[in-house]
Amino acid sequence: MAHAVEQLEQTHHALIAAVQAGDWEQVSELDVLCRELVGRAMQQPERDEQALANALTSLSETYREVIGLCQAVQGKLAEELHGIQRSKESAKVYQMFS
């Protein structure tokens, strides 16, 4: 297996671990690295097409899951923010009449 594909797979596993740990800063860094490694792997003239296809398929599935998770977290944060804003508004109304 080509070195770039091996690096891509290792980075993919690190990405999964970072997502599971909720380390979004690390996820961001690994995302950039994954993109770079995909480019390198695609440019290798003597690449193992099947190994690369398998790695990219697996990476694509992981990204689908990560996007879903991010959307869920975004929704939860939006709900929390909305709740905080309602609480602030309620507190202002209370202060006006007290």
Side-chain angles (χ1 to χ4, degrees), residues 17-28:
V19 168
Q20 290 173 341
D23 186 349
W24 298 109
E25 185 174 327
Q26 183 71 17
V27 168
S28 175

Side-chain angles (χ1 to χ4, degrees), residues 2-93:
H3 183 65
V5 175
E6 288 177 10
Q7 285 182 313
L8 181 59
E9 288 180 345
Q10 291 170 354
T11 305
H12 178 204
H13 292 299
L15 177 66
I16 291 170
V19 168
Q20 290 173 341
D23 186 349
W24 298 109
E25 185 174 327
Q26 183 71 17
V27 168
S28 175
E29 292 171 9
L30 290 168
D31 172 54
V32 171
L33 183 56
C34 279
R35 292 169 192 262
E36 180 182 313
L37 291 172
V38 166
R40 280 189 212 165
M42 295 296 289
Q43 292 175 354
Q44 286 187 331
E46 297 180 15
R47 63 183 177 258
D48 180 345
E49 295 288 338
Q50 187 60 47
L52 180 57
N54 291 341
L56 293 176
T57 299
S58 180
L59 186 61
S60 176
E61 291 170 3
T62 297
Y63 271 100
R64 258 191 298 277
E65 292 173 13
V66 169
I67 289 169
L69 180 59
C70 288
Q71 289 172 336
V73 168
Q74 179 186 23
K76 182 177 178 183
L77 291 174
E79 288 176 13
E80 289 177 11
L81 181 58
H82 187 67
I84 290 170
Q85 289 172 337
R86 280 185 294 173
S87 295
K88 283 183 177 181
E89 290 172 7
S90 297
K92 285 180 184 177
V93 170

